[in-house]
């Protein structure tokens, strides 16, 4: 059974860097897509980015200048860093296991992308 | 402002059927299959439908998905009070090279 557990500081001051960890149990870091998603209070889910193949990344264009992700295969854990945080970064942060595939069959392009296992999330508040 | 558009809320009586729409564009739903997630307050989202219409193990067949063009639909039949939750659609967007979600739909059982 795959389980994900996020952890982080809970409270971060404006302009500082947010660092979160997600510990993965029951599955290997490679070759899955490991995704970070956040949800501000009372708002919708926001895709932050994903890391796959041990280090290849895609980030949300709106966060790309401030976000970075990495993996530590020896510890089977993921890391998220978000720099220069503001109150708008206050949210519950989730890590999730993602699946992506695209292929062409009979001249037709097919693609899927979804997240099947989610951590419980960790709340991050940005405040002085 | 979410990339995918969902109605803020839908409602129906117990036992009835509801549908939730998810509208996008050629670079997301038009090119990639949609997934659906159920979220109860204070908990993590749960995968309901993936690859447009497939259900993970353990998801009852009261939940169904369909997709055509740049729109997708989640259907819930035999509505139960336990189905009251927020529902999100999601997929990949080729233009943004990013995952995208809808704004979420709150289902209320009258």
């Amino acid at each position: 059974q795959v389980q994900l557990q996020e952890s982080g500081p809970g409270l971060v001051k404006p302009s500082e860097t947010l660092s979160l960890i997600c510990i993965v149990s029951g599955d290997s870091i490679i070759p899955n897509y490991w995704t970070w998603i956040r949800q501000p209070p009372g708002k919708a889910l926001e895709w932050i980015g994903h890391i796959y193949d041990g280090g290849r990344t895609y980030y949300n264009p709106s966060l790309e200048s401030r976000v970075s992700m990495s993996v530590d295969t020896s510890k089977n854990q993921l890391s998220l860093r978000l720099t220069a945080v503001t109150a708008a970064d206050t949210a519950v942060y989730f890590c999730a296991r993602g699946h992506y595939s695209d292929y062409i069959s009979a001249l037709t392009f097919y693609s899927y992308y979804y997240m099947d296992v989610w951590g419980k999330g960790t709340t991050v508040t940005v405040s002085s | 402002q979410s990339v995918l558009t969902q109605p803020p809320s839908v409602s129906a009586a117990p036992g009835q059927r509801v549908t939730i729409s998810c509208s996008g564009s050629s670079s997301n739903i038009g090119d990639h299959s949609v997934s659906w997630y159920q979220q109860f307050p204070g908990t993590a989202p749960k995968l309901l439908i993936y690859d447009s219409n497939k259900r993970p193990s353990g998801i009852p067949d009261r939940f169904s998905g369909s997709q055509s063009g740049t729109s997708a639909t989640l259907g819930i039949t035999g509505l139960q009070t336990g189905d009251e939750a927020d529902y999100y659609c999601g997929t990949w967007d080729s233009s943004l090279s990013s995952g995208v979600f809808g704004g979420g739909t709150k289902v209320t059982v009258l």
Side-chain angles (χ1 to χ4, degrees), chain A residues 3-52:
Chain A
Q3 291 186 313
L4 308 178
Q5 179 64 59
E6 306 92 342
S7 63
L11 180 65
V12 183
K13 290 182 169 54
S15 80
E16 294 189 343
T17 295
L18 164 66
S19 295
L20 299 177
I21 286 173
C22 173
I23 297 175
V24 178
S25 58
D27 198 359
S28 299
I29 293 289
I30 297 171
N32 295 296
Y33 287 72
W34 299 98
T35 310
W36 289 92
I37 300 108
R38 70 181 183 179
Q39 186 171 36
K43 296 189 176 181
L45 301 173
E46 180 180 26
W47 190 86
I48 299 173
H50 68 211
I51 184 166
Y52 65 104

Side-chain angles (χ1 to χ4, degrees), chain B residues 37-79:
Chain B
Y37 305 87
Q38 177 190 58
Q39 186 182 34
F40 296 105
T43 69
K46 174 184 177 181
L47 179 66
L48 272 185
I49 298 288
Y50 69 99
D51 201 6
S52 299
N53 55 17
K54 297 180 175 60
R55 284 176 285 106
S57 173
I59 301 299
D61 58 7
R62 298 188 300 106
F63 295 92
S64 63
S66 63
Q67 180 171 345
S68 178
T70 59
S71 294
T73 302
L74 173 70
I76 310 174
T77 58
L79 198 62

Side-chain angles (χ1 to χ4, degrees), chain B residues 6-19:
Chain B
Q6 299 178 233
S9 63
V10 296
S11 61
Q16 297 299 302
R17 178 175 186 260
V18 294
T19 60

Side-chain angles (χ1 to χ4, degrees), chain A residues 114-125:
Chain A
Y114 62 92
M115 281 66 76
D116 66 340
V117 181
W118 295 63
K120 293 182 179 181
T122 186
T123 299
V124 175
T125 301

Side-chain angles (χ1 to χ4, degrees), chain A residues 37 39 43-45 47 50 58 60-61 94 100 109 111-116 118-119, chain B residues 31-33 35 37 39 44-45 47 50-51 88 91-92 96-99 101-103:
Chain A
I37 300 108
Q39 186 171 36
K43 296 189 176 181
L45 301 173
W47 190 86
H50 68 211
Y58 279 94
N60 187 320
F94 300 99
Y100 178 87
F109 176 77
S111 169
Y112 63 70
Y113 180 58
Y114 62 92
M115 281 66 76
D116 66 340
W118 295 63
Chain B
D31 247 2
H32 306 273
S33 64
S35 53
Y37 305 87
Q39 186 182 34
L47 179 66
Y50 69 99
D51 201 6
Y88 293 90
T91 188
W92 185 257
L96 298 173
S97 291
S98 166
F101 288 105

